[in-house]
């Protein structure tokens, strides 16, 4: 049987170029471009429970596949826990800075290189696991700047994730403690309590995910819809945590459908 983690180390087409949105070595974004003009821009935020052990390299296969299908993809790096400036609020300010700066930087770089133009207005924000959390969080902070969200197995409820002790204290490491110890951080950082976002959102989650329980996405999507958001949950039977970022997995068509939904308004099967 194939190891689901194989995607984390699978070689991928190299980035066409890397943009720098800040002075820190991790304030960068790798860009992969399609061979079409006017491609929609996807800002993708990688997962890894916000920890420095994981970086953007492992979503190379995802980014390369999306680029081959007509999307311009910028995979955002950011400061993470375990390194100076990571956690609250640095991780969050990095994502916000990247979301603001990268589209303009990309448009200028493409023009400078004489490459086909990219549609950078109101990009799609997407992410996996911890990156899915950050995508949902930023959509609630700056909804008018985002064209839609695709959240893959997101940690959409930080209080519940803390209670479940996901990845041995990952949420406490991110925010600096328990919900009752740093309530302001949780109130600001938790997508579950910052609804509605008003952004068209598709959440994809495997029913057999052992790292981020699908019940978190069920609860988030239910609350988002009750708040008035256009939010769809696509729950995939028999799918675990990493299949949703693997272009070679059976889950990948559902992921592609989600991007079609938020970029072109195509129908997507959901709950």
């Amino acid at each position: 049987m194939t190891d689901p983690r194989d995607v984390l180390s699978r070689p991928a087409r190299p980035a066409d170029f890397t943009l720098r949105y800040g002075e820190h070595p991790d304030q960068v974004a790798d860009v992969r471009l399609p061979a079409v003009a006017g491609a929609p821009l996807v800002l993708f935020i990688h997962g890894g429970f916000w920890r420095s052990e994981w970086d953007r390299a492992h979503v190379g296969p995802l980014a390369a596949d999306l680029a081959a299908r007509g999307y311009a993809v910028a995979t955002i790096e950011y400061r993470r826990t375990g390194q100076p400036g990571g956690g609250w609020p640095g991780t969050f300010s990095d994502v916000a800075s990247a979301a603001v700066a990268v589209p303009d930087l990309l448009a200028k770089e493409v023009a400078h290189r004489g490459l086909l133009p990219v549609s950078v207005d109101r990009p799609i924000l997407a992410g996996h696991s911890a990156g899915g959390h950050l995508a949902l969080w930023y959509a609630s902070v700056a909804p008018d700047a985002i064209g839609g969200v695709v959240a893959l197995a997101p940690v959409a409820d930080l209080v519940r994730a803390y209670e479940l002790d996901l990845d041995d204290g990952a949420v406490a490491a991110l925010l600096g403690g328990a919900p009752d110890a740093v309530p302001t951080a949780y109130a600001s950082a938790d997508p579950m309590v910052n609804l509605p976002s008003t952004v068209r959102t598709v959440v994809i989650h495997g029913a057999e995910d052992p790292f981020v329980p699908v019940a978190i996405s069920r609860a988030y999507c239910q609350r988002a819809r009750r708040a008035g958001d256009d939010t769809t949950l696509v729950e995939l039977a028999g799918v675990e945590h990493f299949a949703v970022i693997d272009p070679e997995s059976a889950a990948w068509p559902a992921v592609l459908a989600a991007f079609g939904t938020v970029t072109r308004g195509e129908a997507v099967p959901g709950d």
Side-chain angles (χ1 to χ4, degrees), residues 54-246:
W54 296 98
D55 63 19
R56 67 195 184 282
H58 73 269
V59 295
L62 173 149
D65 189 90
L66 288 177
R69 297 177 187 274
Y71 295 92
V73 185
T75 50
I76 295 169
E77 195 55 271
Y78 52 94
R79 290 173 293 172
R80 303 169 304 286
T81 59
Q83 59 187 161
W88 177 263
T91 292
F92 296 80
S93 63
D94 281 2
V95 169
S97 295
V100 170
V102 167
D104 287 342
L105 291 170
L106 191 156
K108 291 176 182 177
E109 187 66 18
V110 164
H112 175 73
R113 293 171 178 253
L115 301 174
L116 293 172
V118 173
S119 178
V120 299
D121 183 48
R122 300 184 76 242
I124 303 305
L125 196 60
H128 174 238
S129 193
H133 154 258
L134 291 167
L136 294 172
W137 165 78
Y138 186 72
S140 71
V141 171
D144 293 340
I146 300 300
V149 171
V150 177
L152 309 175
V155 188
D157 183 342
L158 295 186
V159 172
R160 184 61 180 145
Y162 172 84
E163 293 170 347
L164 294 171
D165 196 29
L166 297 190
D167 202 53
D168 297 324
V171 176
L174 174 71
L175 297 183
D180 59 353
V182 286
T184 300
Y186 279 83
S188 298
D190 196 343
M192 184 65 91
V193 298
N194 286 287
L195 292 167
S197 74
T198 72
V199 177
R200 176 68 173 106
T201 299
V202 179
V203 176
I204 299 183
H205 211 130
E208 308 303 322
D209 191 329
F211 298 103
V212 182
V214 67
I216 289 179
S217 283
R218 291 174 187 157
Y220 173 82
C221 291
Q222 289 171 359
R223 182 173 292 186
R225 288 195 298 267
R226 286 199 299 267
D229 276 345
D230 183 358
T231 300
T232 299
L233 172 64
V234 180
E235 185 174 330
L236 301 177
V239 169
E240 47 68 61
H241 190 64
F242 300 107
V244 293
I245 61 167
D246 187 352

Side-chain angles (χ1 to χ4, degrees), residues 3-40:
D3 185 346
R5 290 177 175 266
D6 285 350
V7 69
L8 301 179
S9 56
R10 186 182 305 151
R13 164 194 154 188
D16 293 303
F17 51 83
T18 297
L19 299 170
R20 178 167 297 284
Y21 66 87
E23 296 182 357
H24 190 276
D26 281 332
Q27 291 171 333
V28 295
D30 290 339
V31 176
R32 291 173 174 85
L33 298 173
V36 296

